[in-house]
Amino acid sequence: AQSVSQHNHHVILSEAASLELGCNYSYGGTVNLFWYVQYPGQHLQLLLKYFSGDPLVKGIKGFEAEFIKSKFSFNLRKPSVQWSDTAEYFCAASLSGGYNKLIFGAGTRLAVHP
Amino acid sequence: DTGVSQNPRHKITKRGQNVTFRCDPISEHNRLYWYRQTLGQGPEFLTYFQNEAQLEKSRLLSDRFSAERPKGSFSTLEIQRTEQGDSAMYLCASSLETGELFFGEGSRLTVL
């Protein structure tokens, strides 16, 4: 069965700390990979996406993610977090060539303290 | 605002009542999706439309749930005979064929 798992449910960091959120997927086929962010009281927004090509993708607000096919992973990173990064982060996957049906992980709630 | 619009934003109802949510996608998007999100979980896929055709329904969508997308524009999600377990955030998203889903702010259902 298709699934996406996120390792950390809650992460607490101080400003300027580095961030890495883990994501693994299980799919029978080529996948497209996404990270979405949900700020308090707001809708889900796309941070970045990977379809093909360079496995290191850069997104908005200084976020990046690396696709490692051999590890079925798509971890999200940011070298220095800010208080405004406090949000919930969701990893998602869809089958390449399909109709974009996303399967989401359970999410990671990040709290950044000043 | 030209994003995905959902209403009502919050619905409180008594068990056994029917509720309907509406989603207006981004106008040029032919693909529309409904998801459900409960506390502490990621969004779970419910159903997918391409234009007016409903092409997939999740097993989560019991026979009390029905979704429509007449004329391939807005969509409605109706829940009949609501149960407390239906309490959740119902999310709508739309996309072109290129893969990125744009989400609305959701409709929160509370069943008392």
Side-chain angles (χ1 to χ4, degrees):
Chain A
Q2 300 166 346
S3 67
V4 175
S5 60
Q6 294 183 238
H7 312 307
N8 316 96
H9 294 294
H10 291 94
V11 173
I12 301 173
L13 294 173
S14 298
E15 277 192 318
S18 64
L19 171 71
E20 182 161 2
L21 301 181
C23 172
N24 286 92
Y25 64 92
S26 174
Y27 260 76
T30 304
V31 296
N32 300 323
L33 295 160
F34 306 81
W35 276 97
Y36 279 81
V37 61
Q38 189 167 28
Y39 297 104
Q42 297 188 25
H43 62 282
L44 282 162
Q45 302 171 44
L46 183 69
L47 267 182
L48 48 78
K49 60 188 177 186
Y50 173 79
F51 287 178
S52 65
D54 188 343
L56 184 63
V57 293
K58 296 191 182 299
I60 61 171
K61 304 186 180 186
F63 286 91
E64 65 179 30
E66 185 175 13
F67 169 57
I68 303 180
K69 188 175 181 180
S70 61
K71 295 185 178 180
F72 301 95
S73 70
F74 190 57
N75 292 354
L76 181 71
R77 299 194 291 248
K78 185 171 184 178
S80 176
V81 294
Q82 302 172 328
W83 176 79
S84 58
D85 293 323
T86 295
E88 190 154 19
Y89 293 81
F90 294 94
C91 182
S94 66
L95 205 57
S96 181
Y99 55 81
N100 312 331
K101 169 186 167 182
L102 289 178
I103 303 296
F104 283 86
T108 297
R109 191 175 294 274
L110 172 66
V112 180
H113 292 170
Chain B
D1 190 323
T2 57
V4 177
S5 175
Q6 293 187 245
N7 63 81
R9 294 290 309 281
H10 196 176
K11 178 73 176 178
I12 301 173
T13 191
K14 292 182 179 179
R15 190 175 53 190
Q17 298 295 305
N18 300 342
V19 296
T20 299
F21 300 114
R22 176 179 169 124
C23 172
D24 288 272
I26 295 171
S27 59
E28 63 268 28
H29 287 184
N30 62 338
R31 298 182 174 188
L32 186 145
Y33 314 78
W34 284 98
Y35 283 80
R36 182 172 70 187
Q37 186 176 19
T38 54
L39 202 61
Q41 298 296 320
E44 297 173 292
F45 172 80
L46 292 178
T47 191
Y48 160 68
F49 289 86
Q50 183 159 323
N51 299 312
E52 66 276 9
Q54 187 175 21
L55 298 185
E56 184 175 343
K57 291 169 58 175
S58 163
R59 283 172 290 181
L60 292 174
L61 217 62
S62 76
D63 56 5
R64 296 185 297 105
F65 288 70
S66 62
E68 295 182 339
R69 193 183 182 196
K71 303 178 184 178
S73 56
F74 71 92
S75 176
T76 58
L77 176 69
E78 181 182 16
I79 309 173
Q80 296 182 327
R81 306 181 304 282
T82 52
E83 302 172 356
Q84 288 186 324
D86 297 331
S87 295
M89 179 75 85
Y90 290 86
L91 300 172
C92 178
S94 68
S95 78
L96 296 169
E97 295 184 3
T98 52
E100 177 184 346
L101 270 62
F102 292 81
F103 284 85
E105 294 187 342
S107 293
R108 182 173 296 282
L109 174 64
T110 302
V111 182
L112 302 177

